[in-house]
Amino acid sequence: MSLSLHSPPSSFLSSSLPKSTLGFANGSSFSTLFFNSNISFPVLRASSSSVDVGSSTELDAVSTFSEIVPDTVIFDDFEKFPPTAATVSSSLLLGILSLPDTIFRNAVDMALADSTCSRLDNPELRLSCFVNKALVNVGGDLAKLVPGRVSTEVDARLAYNTHGIIRRVHDLLKLYDDINVPPERLLFKIPSTWQGIEASRLLESEGIQTHMTFVYSFAQAAAAAQAGASVIQIFIGRVRDWARSHSGDPEIEAAIHRGEDPGLALVTKAYNYIHKYGHKSKLMAAAVRNKQDLFSLLGVDYIIAPLKILLSLKESITAPDEKYSYVRRLSPQSAASYEFTAEELTKWDQLSFASAMGPASVELLAAGLDGYANQTKRAEELLDKIWPPPNV
């Protein structure tokens, strides 16, 4: 779960840091991940529409157009995909707690020994304090292991509380400061409710970088871009899955009527909006299900791809005379000619945002929030069972 990060300003996670990759959760049961690859992923090139790949791999070819982000869990084979940046969340804590011998277990145990949290009489506040401290302790350990940035998930139960999100981010920043992790090494993952987008706007105005997740509609993407979010993540596979078993969403039905995949169409429209109107946000495409999805997204800033797809790309050799043409599908040049309706160019407010959210985005957002909230609750329950920890 994470992103890229080279020194050019086009890479949102870089800050005079070596190139790195921060992966993002894909909604699996073990969805808090951290990624990277020992493969060299070139920085996105905006100057060409196709590439002569020569005798190279498909991965080399597609990496010419977009930064490719491996989607893997921390217990995967690091020799193939060693991490250079990281994401920490409640699902990562669940993984650590399920494997007592992991190198991060001490970070969790030390969080449980924190006197500030232990002194809290309210059990709910005490457990929330333990979770925050554990997230930051693990994030601090990861910051020592990776050259890139560490992304920290904000409690999904705060998704509809703008000031609650901001307070939580400030609390996490203070905890990171206590262990000497500077703000430039961090970003914060926030659900794309209207309240979350407003929190992003205010945090970005303070110089705190945010990553908006659970984006399933153009309204969410455009509002997040207007808010100045550093990263906007769209789950193309989830949008497609919803469309296969549901109907009645105007945005999805319009894409299908045009003969387009609704998930890919959403990424295309969001990318064109961001680049045509000069927003700073970088766009990530997640829930990529196959190589054709990836080929159709070439040019988007970041693509999160499962290991099986990356391994297939890495093992597929492309010869100079191969007929397949790797073509950049998205570019600032093509964005400039994309036409938007007056309704799509609105200055989004809470009312217009709510009106534009179709059933797909409403249902998928709710499902994502429920999943993350349940993970956080499970993490709290596990921490409660082992508090106070032995031998600390």
Side-chain angles (χ1 to χ4, degrees), residues 297-334:
L297 293 165
L298 293 182
V300 73
D301 300 291
Y302 310 103
I303 301 174
I304 299 180
L307 253 66
K308 64 179 182 179
I309 294 177
L310 296 185
L311 292 173
S312 176
L313 292 169
K314 185 179 179 182
E315 293 168 357
S316 299
I317 304 300
T318 59
D321 59 348
E322 184 172 354
K323 293 181 179 180
Y324 193 91
S325 176
Y326 296 90
V327 177
R328 180 169 185 166
R329 306 292 182 178
L330 303 174
S331 71
Q333 293 77 18
S334 63

Side-chain angles (χ1 to χ4, degrees), residues 371-388:
Y372 272 32
N374 288 337
Q375 288 174 346
T376 302
K377 184 176 180 180
R378 287 172 56 204
E380 290 175 345
E381 291 171 348
L382 285 176
L383 291 175
D384 190 34
K385 288 180 180 179
I386 63 175
W387 179 77

